[in-house]
Amino acid sequence: MQTPQKIAVVGSGLVGTLLAIYLKRAGHTVHVYDRSPDIRTIQFSGRSINLVMSNRGWKALEDVGLDAEIRKIGIPVDKRAIHLQDGKLNYQFYGKEGEAIFSLSRGVLNRKMVDLAEAEGVKFFFEHKIWDVNLATASLYEGESEQGDWTELKYDKVFGADGAFSRIRHRMQRQSMFDYSQEFMQIGYKELHIPANADGSHKIDKNSLHIWPRGNFMLMALSNLDGSFTCTLFMPFKGENSFESLKDEAALAAFFAKYFPDTKEVIPDLVRDFFKNPTSYLAIMKCFPWTFEDKVALIGDSAHAIVPFYGHGMNAGFEDITILNELIHTYGDDWNAIFSEYEISRKPNADAIAELSRRNFEEMSNKTADSNFLLQKKIEKWFSDKHPDKWMPLYSRVTFSLQPYSEAMAIGDFQNEIMQEVLKIENIEKIWDSEQVENKILELLQ
Ligand SMILES: Cc1cc2nc3c(=O)[nH]c(=O)nc-3n(C[C@H](O)[C@H](O)[C@H](O)COP(=O)(O)OP(=O)(O)OC[C@H]3O[C@@H](n4cnc5c(N)ncnc54)[C@H](O)[C@@H]3O)c2cc1C
């Protein structure tokens, strides 16, 4: 048990609210500040993205007994449904039978998390903008505007769960020996919508993550509980087949008719949504250190913002909380040790999931329609079923296991080298499940 502290969490997003629950359970007074209005009181706009939750996210919820409550608002997704341009549909299961990720509306989940945190006794201060922090004294500065008067709020500790453009990190960036990088992708995204059927049922399979892979761009769809799907179009900002090239209704209609013909029936408001919804940017942000003495710590996107192609930003943020909680139990009141080990153990894993996520754009938008890649996946699955102790595919390691991301990536790279050798075997497409191939993999694994 720790000595009770007065702790501020800046940010009432998914990571801030779950962290607040953990800290409250540990006996602390917990105040959460957010510049936005209470998410439970606002209408969702065209930006209410949905997310997938996998084992790392569930683990953090399970440890505080909240997983069952959250599963009620999710839909299990056990496979990819690949929509090829010629109209063919292929299914690729994610893992073993019974293994699934869960599709959740980010807005619905966030509302639920605020409710749950409030029920624990966490106090929320919405529409409170935090402009600065005194790192040495864990004091926050809150006010209406950056230039106006600020109120000083004194705490024992401050957690910056204030997302990719964190003000808390901003202050840390002005320290010497603080590393920071940000990289904007050339690819942006826009949300579209597949409404429910009149009877509330889903228009396409709700237990699949739908992908229309088209090389350097793709469309994706994930189911919502109300029978609708949130679609996301990822494509370059500039060039051929880019957001810039879809200037008017005629260009948009011709583009969708050519590349996504099977969506015509299911996205009735394509034109309205496309021109109304914003085109959003994607960026990778990295920094180090994540903490200042025993006073201030960054967590979630404020410490590591990644691109969404592995579906792990929130999962990684929730795993930060699991690790922090383990360290709280190990070190008790020694917050210096807690913070120091937290950042040292999490940083390589945050970097690894950032890299895996970047690489996964290529896998989703291009390779999922590539016959060599599909053969590789088939061989991996077959070998893994035969030798589960010797081979777990990378996707399963990242998504259905709790193995540190950095280890998963290193093993995945090694496995990929083996598979590139295996794919060179003559007639591999005919003999992919033969003893010869099995022995070759076993030999390469030595
Ligand atoms: C298109 C897309 C798809 C995604 N899909 C997935 C997925 O499938 N699975 C997954 O795990 N992750 C996914 N992610 C990532 C996931 O959304 C984020 O990693 C996660 O929401 C980060 O949570 P957070 O609490 O750290 O930050 P945020 O959700 O950004 O919350 C930060 C909070 O801090 C508040 N705040 C900011 N600045 C201040 C300030 N100065 N003062 C007071 N309050 C402030 C904000 O209002 C906000 O409420 C996706 C992201 C995108 C963009």
Side-chain angles (χ1 to χ4, degrees), residues 128-144:
H128 279 61
K129 301 185 184 92
I130 301 300
W131 295 105
D132 207 350
V133 57
N134 182 324
L135 298 173
T137 62
S139 298
L140 293 174
Y141 296 93
E142 184 265 320
E144 253 321 293

Side-chain angles (χ1 to χ4, degrees), residues 60 67 75 85 100 109 146 195 218 230 235 290 298 300 404 421 423:
D67 52 313
I75 298 177
Q85 208 172 326
L109 176 61
E146 194 162 9
M218 69 170 166
T230 303
M235 67 192 300
W290 293 1
L298 301 174
E421 286 303 308
L423 289 171

